Amino acid sequence: MPYETLLVDQADGVGLVTLNRPEALNAINTALIDELNQVLDAFERDANIGCVLITGSAKAFAAGADVKEMAELCFPGTYLDDFLGRWDRVAERRKPIIAAVAGHALGGGFELALMCDFIIAADNARFGLPEVKLGVIPGSGGTQRLTRLAGRAKAMEMILTGRSMDAAEAERCGVVARVVPLPELLDAAMQSARQIAAQSRTAVLLLKECVNRVDEGSLGEGLRFERRLFQAVFATPDQKEGMGAFIEKRKPVFGKQ
Ligand code: DAK
């Protein structure tokens, strides 16, 4: 099915979504959020998909929410229509989502990348929350997620001044998992995504839940949660297959359930 704002593909258990509004540096508008949610819904339901990859162009992952769409909005309308409110659903997905970021990831574009489970960046990537320069503030978790990842000082400085950081700085402060040369970005991200998609689906989803638990409670509660899920894993066929394959010195073949 053709989309107005996205290119969509799938191979080797990976669902690939390419943001595709080149005329606006992939600025995120209502149509893009609606289409992204449709595609992610379909990937969540598709038993063949074990990992999702979101990317943009070499010049821009996404240069923010679409300022031209937002410029004339006013409060009752944005509130009553829940303008762009469904965007946050990206962070609620159960299957892992990788953001492969090249070029500008600004404002809502950076927030979209931060909603993904991890970011692999090209060496030309630039990350920032410049909303303050437009007289507004981040609206999709930027103040919260950047502060958790990079720490209060770095987040405050970036958010209050609107300055952006390059890929090397983003890697140093824990915002991105790793940086690769631009021409290698898609291959590197696809390789990670394929690796994830080939693992036990149950183990991968349980792992995502465990890591996300870090943001929700105390260490003690997180450790108990992890222990319970670890014990529950022994009820899955994938545990028998994974450990059996190791002992028999062969590659495991995991089911899609
Ligand atoms: N929106 C709309 N159009 C954009 C855009 C954007 N964010 N960014 C770029 N474009 C358009 C430009 O207007 C230009 O279009 P034409 O003039 O050719 O028609 C085209 O893309 C190419 O851009 P430039 O000519 O500016 O390209 P340069 O290489 O010179 O500069 C740039 C690249 C990224 C430095 C520059 O384009 C730029 O500063 N862009 C704006 C960056 C920005 O301020 N982003 C933050 C936007 S505010 C919400 C949640 C979140 C948000 C809102 C609501 N809710 C849940 C309700 C988030 C808000 C934001 O992100």
Side-chain angles (χ1 to χ4, degrees):
M1 165 180 170
Y3 294 93
E4 181 193 327
T5 64
L6 306 175
L7 301 172
V8 179
D9 200 359
Q10 64 182 78
D12 303 332
V14 179
L16 175 64
V17 186
T18 305
L19 310 183
N20 187 36
R21 298 191 69 217
E23 71 289 355
L25 300 183
N26 292 332
I28 298 167
N29 61 5
T30 307
L32 189 149
I33 292 300
D34 288 348
E35 291 188 345
L36 185 58
N37 276 325
Q38 276 174 43
V39 172
L40 295 180
D41 282 344
F43 284 158
E44 286 273 301
R45 284 192 303 267
D46 186 340
N48 292 313
I49 299 293
C51 187
V52 176
L53 181 53
I54 302 180
T55 194
S57 69
K59 187 159 186 213
F61 178 73
D66 191 319
V67 177
K68 292 167 189 167
E69 185 182 57
M70 290 188 294
E72 298 305 322
L73 297 180
C74 52
F75 172 68
T78 55
Y79 177 68
L80 292 173
D81 296 347
D82 194 20
F83 174 66
L84 299 183
R86 294 170 307 280
W87 188 332
D88 277 5
R89 290 188 51 218
V90 174
E92 293 161 12
R93 304 295 169 165
R94 300 182 72 208
K95 291 181 181 173
I97 307 181
I98 303 173
V101 175
H104 302 288
L106 299 176
F110 187 17
E111 292 178 300
L112 173 61
L114 289 170
M115 283 179 215
C116 298
D117 296 304
F118 61 90
I119 300 172
I120 298 182
D123 49 12
N124 76 336
R126 289 204 73 84
F127 300 90
L129 293 171
E131 283 87 343
V132 70
K133 297 181 187 171
L134 299 172
V136 296
I137 70 170
S140 263
T143 62
Q144 306 302 300
R145 293 196 177 95
L146 180 61
T147 307
R148 279 182 164 80
L149 289 178
R152 181 185 160 85
K154 177 86 70 185
M156 273 290 188
E157 188 230 356
M158 288 187 61
I159 292 166
L160 296 182
T161 64
R163 92 162 168 92
S164 58
M165 61 182 168
D166 64 17
E169 184 179 358
E171 186 179 30
R172 271 200 309 280
C173 68
V175 167
V176 309
R178 64 197 164 97
V179 179
V180 298
L182 174 61
E184 294 166 24
L185 177 66
L186 199 57
D187 279 353
M190 274 301 285
Q191 200 185 349
S192 292
R194 267 191 234 106
Q195 252 171 7
I196 293 168
Q199 309 299 337
S200 157
R201 190 71 44 84
T202 317
V204 163
L205 267 61
L206 290 172
L207 283 165
K208 178 167 167 168
E209 268 202 83
C210 282
V211 176
N212 282 339
R213 195 76 174 198
V214 168
D215 290 332
E216 287 168 18
S218 66
L219 175 62
E221 196 198 324
L223 292 174
R224 271 191 300 280
F225 182 74
E226 184 193 77
R227 177 75 50 85
R228 288 297 160 261
L229 293 188
F230 170 77
Q231 289 162 345
V233 147
F234 286 84
T236 67
D238 285 345
Q239 176 269 327
K240 300 285 173 293
E241 171 64 13
M243 293 191 174
F246 172 79
I247 291 165
E248 292 159 19
K249 299 189 187 299
R250 60 174 175 82
K251 269 189 92 166
V253 181
F254 294 119
K256 289 182 177 156
Q257 295 292 319

